[in-house]
């Protein structure tokens, strides 16, 4: 088990920035690939950003490239998502997720995430 706890969500205006953080518990955090997955009302979950176990591989959804940055600090067992230039389309619940079975050279597919946080709401008003 890898308990995950997100923080940093909130209500902001379009164009603003937010930084989401995810704190993980467990001695093997560095062994997990991590991701941020969001779900808007009435829509399926989609991967927003993902990072491999040591941080040298990242992937982003096309809709957030150039605006969002994922990073991790294995010494602190945390993964973060810096979100800039937010728009109403970014409104969703954002989940932190961990994968124990993804090869180290890539980031996880959605079905490969084994552990999920409770989610944090991000609301962007236009």
């Amino acid at each position: 088990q890898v308990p995950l706890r997100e923080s940093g969500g909130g209500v902001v205006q379009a164009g603003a920035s937010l930084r989401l953080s995810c704190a993980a518990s467990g001695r093997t955090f560095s062994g997990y690939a991590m991701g941020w997955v969001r779900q808007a009302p009435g829509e399926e979950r989609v991967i927003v950003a993902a990072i491999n176990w040591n941080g040298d591989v990242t992937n982003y959804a096309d809709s957030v490239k150039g605006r969002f940055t994922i990073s991790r600090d294995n010494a602190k067992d945390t993964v973060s998502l810096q979100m800039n230039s937010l728009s109403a389309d970014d409104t969703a619940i954002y989940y932190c997720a961990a994968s124990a079975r993804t090869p180290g050279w890539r980031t996880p597919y959605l079905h490969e995430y084994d552990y999920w946080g409770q989610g944090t709401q991000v609301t962007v008003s236009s």
Side-chain angles (χ1 to χ4, degrees):
Q1 292 288 333
V2 182
L4 302 171
R5 185 175 72 252
E6 304 97 338
S7 62
V11 180
V12 296
Q13 292 187 335
S17 298
L18 275 177
R19 185 175 181 87
L20 305 182
S21 294
C22 174
S25 302
R27 300 178 180 178
T28 58
F29 173 76
S30 62
Y32 295 92
M34 302 295 295
W36 287 95
V37 178
R38 72 185 181 189
Q39 186 169 24
E43 298 185 12
E44 296 183 349
R45 292 186 179 185
V46 295
I47 299 173
V48 173
I51 190 166
N52 76 328
W53 72 277
N54 67 351
D56 63 359
V57 179
T58 57
N59 277 303
Y60 298 91
D62 288 344
S63 60
V64 307
K65 282 181 181 177
R67 299 189 298 122
F68 289 13
T69 302
I70 189 171
S71 60
R72 67 187 296 161
D73 186 339
N74 286 344
K76 297 181 179 180
D77 293 347
T78 59
V79 61
S80 299
L81 184 68
Q82 177 66 42
M83 305 186 295
N84 299 328
S85 302
L86 287 162
S87 72
D89 290 340
D90 297 314
T91 294
I93 299 174
Y94 285 71
Y95 297 92
C96 174
S99 171
R101 49 193 162 124
T102 301
W105 53 268
R106 64 170 174 86
T107 58
Y109 300 115
L110 188 59
H111 70 274
E112 293 179 321
Y113 286 106
D114 303 296
Y115 308 104
W116 296 81
Q118 293 299 308
T120 185
Q121 177 70 46
V122 173
T123 302
V124 184
S125 60
S126 57

